[in-house]
């Protein structure tokens, strides 16, 4: 049974075929979030703290920490601020220290800069997930030694030096190559979480079926866990949450075991909780019942999903502290 | 390639592995709808007409016609009105004539009374679906000759004289027996639509996985189409639409090709339309885009899903009549 074990200071999260779907919160990522990037440049980490707490309240059990930024306003001071290789290692360290200061969940260290990955591995408590290696030769040779040295699991993205193939058999072959190369380094398959690369169904009509088939093969033939950027599938189409909300249960049914996604969205999280229940990964339906109460509170109180989730988390923690449960 | 062909007076609907999921509207059913039963007893078919139009506007392509009623207020007049065998044949005929008078879609003739099934087969135009045969010996011997005589497809429910087994292997064996018995009558497997019987996941935690596995086996080993009562899965749990909305895409991903369900529910229909898109059964995403507009109209106009769907249907029909498309 494939189990990818992640740890924070005190918590363990297992990604696995017999586990609830693992939601990796994607929000802490300055790429494409100009406001956040500007805050980070000014040393303001308040949004990061808020995003960390909010995502976990909404159901993320792992937080992705992406340091993808340059500090263009500081370029006059030092031109190296225009370079990711200069900015990211220290930013990664700061982001991780900030998040670990407010919440205790395993992290996913996400950067294209190897020095930032290593800075993250040094700063993270427990056993983080490294994001990512690809089938590109240079990347394999840079990242796999880090994976081995720090004994951590790694996300393996199925593109290589020829780019991203539209042929799912080629993407499978790239994943297989990464798993084999990792084995050469003494890294077991259960520490590889493959991202088979999801195409937008609006651009490639077979994209959904491709993923479902690929996930099944990756599970049966390579015995690996899988992940994806959950929202790629709906890119360019209207009512994206509706597509994501059907895609996630279908991917889970096909064997997908995690996603890097925005958990502050009730439609996607409702779909995942229901899929966990239907996969028999929610003992006594406790998580489903809890989510249903949160959705009720949302409607009745005119709250956002994040607000209702935070209120539910507080109330449940209060109940536990007091030694008995509050009535709803 | 398994194709179950249904016909109305002028329309053809194919249930199949490479077709959009077939939604069979369940609303025209006096069982458990006291108000409707009372109306029918008084010869009032206005709700039936409304339900027929509304379900088709919302996305049903086949309408189930269930005649399950007794007329207890008429018992003083004639005690036979307490007997389904007396009431249902003529009621089935009246229901079918009423529905065929307002809309042209294939019907699913649904009764436990063999004479009502035959009355329905006589009244229905085209090639209706018969609902249902089971693995019970008496039922097999009564229904299969009708299926053969009228050359129609039939729903096969996988229970037998021993009842409904909780063991999915037994339910598969019952389905296999029905397919084999049908073959003895010269009825091909592609005219059998198996209902593998969905248990509530709240009562049996493995119910979801059971169905997904069963549907896959029914498709791969028997080559048959499948159906289910889509809402059974969520019986007894809170926020049932959320469970149904994940169950349907997962069942579709596993190979389920139709469901008998309430199409006047946006959460379920959104899930099905998204699953069709993800299965590459929605060329150019046209149906998805149309649904998205309907959902937008719902929110903006404060309309019910049925109202918004009816408005969209009218506007699109108007556009077609005028020979060009209206702008949204």
């Amino acid at each position: 049974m494939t189990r990818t074990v992640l740890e924070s200071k005190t918590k363990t999260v297992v990604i696995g075929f017999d586990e609830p779907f693992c939601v990796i919160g994607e929000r802490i990522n300055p790429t494409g979030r100009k406001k956040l990037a500007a805050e980070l440049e000014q040393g303001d980490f308040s949004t990061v703290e808020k995003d960390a707490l909010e995502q976990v309240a909404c159901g993320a059990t792992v937080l992705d920490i992406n340091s993808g930024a340059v500090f263009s306003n500081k370029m006059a001071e030092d031109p190296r601020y225009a370079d990711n290789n200069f900015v990211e290692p220290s930013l990664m360290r700061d982001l991780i220290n900030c998040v670990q200061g407010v919440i205790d969940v395993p992290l996913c260290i996400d950067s294209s800069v190897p020095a930032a990955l290593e800075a993250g591995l040094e700063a993270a408590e427990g056993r983080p997930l490294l994001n990512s290696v690809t089938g590109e030769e240079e990347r394999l040779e840079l990242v796999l030694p880090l994976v081995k040295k720090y004994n951590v699991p790694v996300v393996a993205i199925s593109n290589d030096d020829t780019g991203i193939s539209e042929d799912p058999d080629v993407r499978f072959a790239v994943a297989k190559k990464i798993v084999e190369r990792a084995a050469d380094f003494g890294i077991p398959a259960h520490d590889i979480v493959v991202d088979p690369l999801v195409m937008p169904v609006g651009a490639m009509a077979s994209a959904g079926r491709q993923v479902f088939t690929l996930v099944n093969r990756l599970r049966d033939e390579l015995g690996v866990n899988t992940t994806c950027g959950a929202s790629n599938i709906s890119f360019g189409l209207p009512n994206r949450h509706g597509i994501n909300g059907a895609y996630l249960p279908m991917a889970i049914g096909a064997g997908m075991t995690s996603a890097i996604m925005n958990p502050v969205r009730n439609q996607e999280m409702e779909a995942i909780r229901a899929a966990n229940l239907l996969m028999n990964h929610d003992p006594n339906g406790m998580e489903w019942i809890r989510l249903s109460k949160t959705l009720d509170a949302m409607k009745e109180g005119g709250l956002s999903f994040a607000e209702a989730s935070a209120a539910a988390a507080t109330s449940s923690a209060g109940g536990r502290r007091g030694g008995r449960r509050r009535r709803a």
Side-chain angles (χ1 to χ4, degrees), chain A:
Chain A
M1 197 46 59
T2 301
R3 292 164 54 89
T4 306
V5 177
L6 313 187
E7 289 168 352
S8 63
K9 188 172 185 178
T10 70
K11 290 208 181 124
T12 301
V13 169
V14 178
I15 305 176
F17 301 162
D18 281 329
E19 301 290 332
F21 192 68
C22 177
V23 174
I24 303 171
E26 73 179 6
R27 299 275 299 151
I28 300 175
N29 184 348
T31 319
R33 290 182 76 185
K34 275 195 185 170
K35 190 161 166 287
L36 175 62
E39 287 172 12
L40 296 178
E41 181 156 6
Q42 288 162 18
D44 173 3
F45 285 77
S46 55
T47 297
V48 174
E49 289 185 5
K50 177 172 168 287
D51 283 342
L53 294 169
E54 205 168 77
Q55 291 183 100
V56 172
C58 289
T61 56
V62 176
L63 293 178
D64 189 83
I65 312 289
N66 182 305
S67 55
V70 291
F71 291 161
S72 39
N73 293 327
K74 287 189 173 171
M75 279 169 59
E77 184 186 314
D78 184 334
R80 291 178 300 172
Y81 279 114
D83 181 359
N84 286 78
N85 292 296
F86 179 73
V87 171
E88 291 204 35
S90 66
L91 177 59
M92 179 62 86
R93 203 174 296 118
D94 293 344
L95 287 167
I96 288 179
N97 288 334
C98 162
V99 171
Q100 288 181 158
V102 295
I103 197 129
D104 178 26
V105 298
L107 304 180
C108 176
I109 300 168
D110 186 358
S111 174
S112 57
V113 173
L117 293 179
E118 183 142 25
L121 287 166
E122 279 164 9
E125 299 174 302
R127 192 169 197 254
L129 178 61
L130 203 62
N131 189 3
S132 57
V133 71
T134 68
E136 295 161 293
E137 282 304 321
E138 190 190 342
R139 192 85 184 162
L140 285 164
E141 295 304 320
L142 279 168
V143 176
L144 291 181
L146 289 179
V147 171
K148 179 63 183 171
K149 176 179 171 190
Y150 288 88
N151 181 30
V152 290
V154 66
V155 173
I157 304 185
S158 50
N159 66 299
D160 65 9
D161 295 291
T162 65
I164 300 177
S165 173
E166 292 197 350
D167 180 347
D169 292 339
V170 172
R171 300 212 299 282
F172 178 83
V174 172
K176 189 156 183 276
K177 179 181 90 166
I178 301 174
V179 169
E180 287 165 355
R181 190 70 66 88
D184 294 342
F185 281 85
I187 301 160
H190 66 244
D191 273 339
I192 316 272
V193 180
V194 172
D195 180 343
L197 284 169
V198 177
M199 309 284 170
V201 73
M204 186 194 286
S206 61
R209 299 190 80 143
Q210 273 196 4
V211 183
F212 308 144
T213 306
L214 257 176
V215 164
N216 223 291
R217 286 190 68 190
L218 289 165
R219 174 194 171 126
D220 290 351
E221 297 178 38
L222 301 186
V224 292
N225 279 307
T226 42
T227 197
C228 65
S231 61
N232 290 2
I233 192 77
S234 59
F235 182 80
L237 286 166
N239 188 20
R240 293 186 64 176
H241 299 303
I243 299 173
N244 301 345
Y247 164 73
L248 283 161
M250 293 174 90
I252 291 171
M256 181 91 75
T257 47
S258 71
I260 300 175
M261 56 176 283
N262 184 354
V264 187
R265 292 293 188 176
N266 57 295
Q267 201 162 355
E268 282 87 339
M269 289 307 292
E270 182 180 11
I272 288 173
R273 296 283 193 212
N276 283 340
L277 177 70
L278 292 163
M279 292 296 280
N280 198 7
H281 294 159
D282 180 4
N284 301 312
M286 294 302 286
E287 291 297 332
W288 179 255
I289 291 164
R290 188 201 302 233
L291 176 83
S292 299
K293 285 181 185 168
T294 301
L295 295 177
D296 287 345
M298 242 180 102
K299 278 174 215 155
E300 286 158 19
L303 304 175
S304 72
F305 181 56
E307 289 164 346
S309 299
T314 312
S315 129
S316 125
R320 274 203 294 276
R321 267 203 300 276
R324 47 182 177 161
R325 212 167 280 175
R326 272 197 218 169
R327 302 202 178 199

